[in-house]
Amino acid sequence: MNELDRAITESMRTPSAAPALYRALCEGELWALVPFHPELTDEVIELENGMPFPFVQLEDEKGAIVPIFSSEARVDEALARAGLSPRKYSAAAMPAQQMLEVLGAMDLRVVLNKGCATGTLVLPPNLLRDLASGRALEPMRSDQGSVERELAILDPADYPTHLVQPLFEILRRHRHFRAAWIFRDGALSATPPTYQVLVYMDPRDEVLFHDLNMTLSAAAQGQPVGIGSVTEDGPMSVAGLFQAAPPFFVAADFGEVRGA
């Protein structure tokens, strides 16, 4: 198993593996299937505008989807598990970012490691485009100003565990994260529910904060949810938050907060 295989397996367990998965997807090569031709063995094919799409496409309930793989070994595994003749398909490799760019530009979904023991993931075209351009891995800007929100305090029994649990996993791994809260964004009666996560970091680390945001997005699966940071001072201070609501995460060595 390579790094991407391990990231896929871990992402099947928890959305907190999303940052490692996205980074591994952009490294090295990705593999796809092409119709078998004996004369194409070890040949290099240059993709040009107007030429037929070279990779095998499948169909599911949402339309066309392209199977791609983390290595040639995973291609062989998938074909063997499906009981397909080795003369039906060949394996073709491309630099990972180029393959993501091509498939994203064609607005195609992909299914990653279909039929493999690593687990299988379906990735939408907008994510492929953001990974290919590097946008998905760019840290969030911290100078975007503040926004006034009406936040409703949640009873801990009502915490959305599908969001809180993967966030907790990444928060406890890094000392930069000191405390975190989750609120309903707006009235408690609003449907569907929208949540807002607030995080206190010391020191601030943009890459780690973006990893937390990627984890939250993966856990939310399209559900409206936001994330923001708090500081020692200001209208949304750490001390004020401790007074207003219990955090769902506090670093073990955080100690008492000044003014709380």
Side-chain angles (χ1 to χ4, degrees):
M1 295 182 71
N2 60 25
E3 183 178 352
L4 179 52
D5 288 332
R6 290 188 287 272
I8 295 168
T9 299
E10 184 65 7
S11 69
M12 303 299 294
R13 185 188 69 82
T14 171
S16 67
L21 171 67
Y22 296 160
R23 292 189 175 96
L25 266 170
C26 297
E27 298 293 331
E29 293 181 325
L30 290 172
W31 294 73
L33 300 175
V34 295
F36 176 79
H37 294 289
E39 66 274 14
L40 291 183
T41 302
D42 295 328
E43 290 289 326
V44 176
I45 302 174
E46 183 175 352
L47 297 181
E48 299 177 352
N49 289 334
M51 71 180 296
F53 184 68
F55 302 136
V56 170
Q57 298 183 58
L58 305 176
E59 292 285 333
D60 64 9
E61 66 279 1
K62 294 183 178 179
I65 191 166
V66 179
I68 64 173
F69 300 88
S70 56
S71 67
E72 188 173 15
R74 299 288 79 76
V75 175
D76 293 341
E77 177 188 356
L79 295 179
R81 285 184 170 222
L84 295 173
S85 166
R87 299 182 65 83
K88 185 174 179 63
Y89 297 118
S90 296
M94 281 184 69
Q97 286 192 286
Q98 289 184 18
M99 182 175 286
L100 296 173
E101 181 180 14
V102 168
L103 296 172
M106 296 190 67
D107 209 34
L108 288 167
R109 295 173 301 130
V110 305
V111 53
L112 179 60
N113 280 10
K114 178 177 174 61
C116 296
T118 58
T120 297
L121 296 174
V122 175
L123 306 176
N126 62 316
L127 177 58
L128 305 184
R129 292 190 291 267
D130 286 348
L131 288 170
S133 68
R135 180 181 176 185
L137 299 176
E138 289 179 356
M140 299 172 64
R141 289 173 52 193
S142 59
D143 59 349
Q144 296 178 345
S146 59
V147 177
E148 289 190 6
R149 295 181 179 276
E150 179 187 350
L151 300 179
I153 296 174
L154 288 169
D155 186 297
D158 296 326
Y159 284 167
T161 54
H162 68 290
L163 301 178
V164 170
Q165 183 58 39
L167 290 178
F168 189 87
E169 291 175 7
I170 191 169
L171 289 166
R172 68 182 180 181
R173 289 202 295 263
H174 303 283
R175 190 193 176 284
H176 295 69
F177 297 116
R178 311 309 292 152
W181 294 258
I182 188 165
F183 300 90
R184 283 283 293 267
D185 194 346
L188 288 172
S189 59
T191 55
T194 302
Y195 296 99
Q196 179 71 30
V197 176
L198 296 176
V199 180
Y200 174 51
M201 296 187 76
D202 184 26
R204 171 85 179 193
D205 186 296
E206 303 297 340
V207 173
L208 286 178
F209 187 76
H210 186 54
D211 283 1
L212 192 68
N213 184 47
M214 287 191 287
T215 296
L216 182 61
S217 297
Q221 298 184 340
Q223 178 184 10
V225 64
I227 188 169
S229 60
V230 296
T231 59
E232 287 280 358
D233 304 306
M236 187 70 77
S237 68
V238 179
L241 279 174
F242 268 97
Q243 291 175 344
F248 72 85
F249 166 82
V250 179
D253 61 346
F254 186 62
E256 293 185 1
V257 177
R258 189 169 60 248

